[in-house]
Amino acid sequence: MSMGRKLRDRIVLTGLAHVMAAHSPLSARLAEEAGFDGIWASGFELSALYCLADVSLISMSQHLDMVRAMADSSSLPIIADIDTGFDNAINVMHAVRQYERAGAAAVVNEDKCFPKVTSLVEAGRQELVTTEEFVGKIEPAIATRSCPDFMIIARTEALIADQGEAEALKRAYAYEAAGADMILIHSKQKTADEVGSFVRAWVGEKPIVIVPTAYPEMNEMRIRQSGKIAIVIYGNHAIRAAVTAMQEVFARIVKDRGLHNINRDIVPVDEIFRLQGMGSIKENEMRFLPGS
Ligand code: SPV
Ligand code: MG
């Protein structure tokens, strides 16, 4: 079964797929073990992993390599964040081909200018391409995919760019008409009002995707009530969890001048061996290495 089909089936089965950001094969595996329906191959997280701002500095090959590695470490469908599609329609077509081959289930392409600026930063320079130009990226993306289940999700940043709900709706309808499988609407407002209003006003046929980082009070119970949202993406919680954990543990080791206190509060090395698949390495050694 294709990964696109797997994601679509998951949505039908659950009514709302919950998808966790990941920036590494390890975080993808942990998201799967925790029970998420999919992986968000987040550009923000991968940029942060390299200590870089999320402003189109990470190349497509860097991101694609990570998607491949995550697809190897987890069986969950991956929604790949391809930002602005790495420039024009030709770049988008190349990206769709590559990400589909890499085993992704979907790509999310956003209507900002390349190079983009991360969405949630205070006073960020948010510039959108015209609706026509972005429709000119969605249509070739749809034409390029080899399997119709591979999803092309169109993301409008109209609310992020303070262009208002009417503009966001106008763009979303145009992207739907261009063939997008879903519409991702992003908002940086600290409450769910802006996104809630957009969702109520939306009368399109395609489902909506949200990323409620800025308005965390919109939990899955509330999201389901809308009846129009198919996917919720937890956009940066893997990297934030990793930073929280490392900051706390590193500070305690420095304070204690040793490992004597922290050791009981972090996972044992055996847990890392488990995640690395050390058990099967040992079995294979017994089986195939003479004298083991
Ligand atoms: C990402 O995780 O890379 C996203 C979501 O695009 S956000 O950073 O909120 O724009
Ligand atoms: Mg992104």
Side-chain angles (χ1 to χ4, degrees), residues 99-270:
Y99 280 85
E100 189 176 2
R101 269 189 210 148
V107 291
V108 172
N109 191 9
E110 68 193 49
D111 59 2
K112 287 213 289 239
C113 294
F114 174 85
K116 52 76 77 68
V117 170
T118 194
S119 303
L120 299 181
V121 69
E122 196 73 35
R125 180 184 53 79
Q126 303 296 344
E127 292 169 344
L128 307 188
V129 296
T130 63
T131 304
E132 294 68 34
E133 184 174 341
F134 195 66
V135 163
K137 288 183 175 185
I138 295 299
E139 284 169 347
I142 301 288
T144 301
R145 66 181 170 193
S146 67
C147 171
D149 287 332
F150 183 78
M151 279 198 251
I152 308 294
I153 302 176
R155 162 171 168 176
T156 181
E157 293 279 285
L159 300 178
I160 294 287
D162 292 324
Q163 297 202 9
E165 181 177 303
E167 177 66 17
L169 285 166
K170 190 191 93 193
R171 283 174 175 264
Y173 288 125
Y175 305 161
E176 177 181 49
D181 295 294
M182 292 191 187
I183 301 295
L184 191 155
I185 181 72
H186 204 14
S187 165
K188 60 188 177 195
Q189 255 198 16
K190 301 278 185 281
T191 71
D193 296 352
E194 190 176 52
V195 154
S197 172
F198 176 95
V199 173
R200 278 191 302 281
W202 174 248
V203 290
E205 283 176 11
K206 298 295 168 63
I208 293 174
V209 182
I210 63 165
V211 188
T213 311
Y215 47 95
E217 84 279 9
M218 189 147 171
N219 61 21
E220 291 183 22
M221 203 180 72
R222 287 186 58 191
I223 294 169
R224 282 176 188 279
Q225 282 163 4
S226 80
K228 299 180 192 172
I229 300 172
I231 301 179
V232 54
I233 292 175
Y234 299 115
N236 54 29
H237 299 80
I239 199 83
R240 286 167 64 191
V243 169
T244 306
M246 283 191 267
Q247 284 176 336
E248 283 177 12
V249 170
F250 296 173
R252 279 183 60 192
I253 295 171
V254 167
K255 178 169 158 285
D256 295 347
R257 293 279 148 192
L259 306 173
H260 46 287
N261 287 323
I262 199 69
N263 205 40
R264 59 179 170 268
D265 293 337
I266 55 178
V267 295
V269 181
D270 277 348

Side-chain angles (χ1 to χ4, degrees), residues 278-292:
M278 203 51 219
S280 71
I281 299 285
K282 277 183 165 172
E283 276 169 27
N284 285 333
E285 278 181 349
M286 302 278 280
R287 228 176 125 197
F288 297 116
L289 291 192
S292 285

Side-chain angles (χ1 to χ4, degrees), residues 28-136:
R29 179 159 294 175
L30 293 175
E32 178 161 10
E33 290 186 354
F36 288 98
D37 297 306
I39 302 293
W40 168 238
S42 158
F44 177 85
E45 291 220 348
L46 190 59
S47 304
L49 191 69
Y50 285 94
C51 277
L52 289 173
D54 182 20
V55 292
S56 301
L57 298 177
I58 295 288
S59 70
M60 184 181 108
S61 353
Q62 280 175 298
H63 189 256
L64 191 58
D65 279 349
M66 190 54 81
V67 166
R68 284 198 194 100
M70 291 198 287
D72 251 5
S73 75
S74 150
S75 65
L76 290 182
I78 297 176
I79 302 177
D81 176 11
I82 63 165
D83 287 353
T84 62
F86 310 103
D87 211 339
N88 69 14
I90 304 301
N91 301 76
V92 172
M93 292 168 81
H94 177 60
V96 166
R97 228 175 272 124
Q98 295 296 318
Y99 280 85
E100 189 176 2
R101 269 189 210 148
V107 291
V108 172
N109 191 9
E110 68 193 49
D111 59 2
K112 287 213 289 239
C113 294
F114 174 85
K116 52 76 77 68
V117 170
T118 194
S119 303
L120 299 181
V121 69
E122 196 73 35
R125 180 184 53 79
Q126 303 296 344
E127 292 169 344
L128 307 188
V129 296
T130 63
T131 304
E132 294 68 34
E133 184 174 341
F134 195 66
V135 163

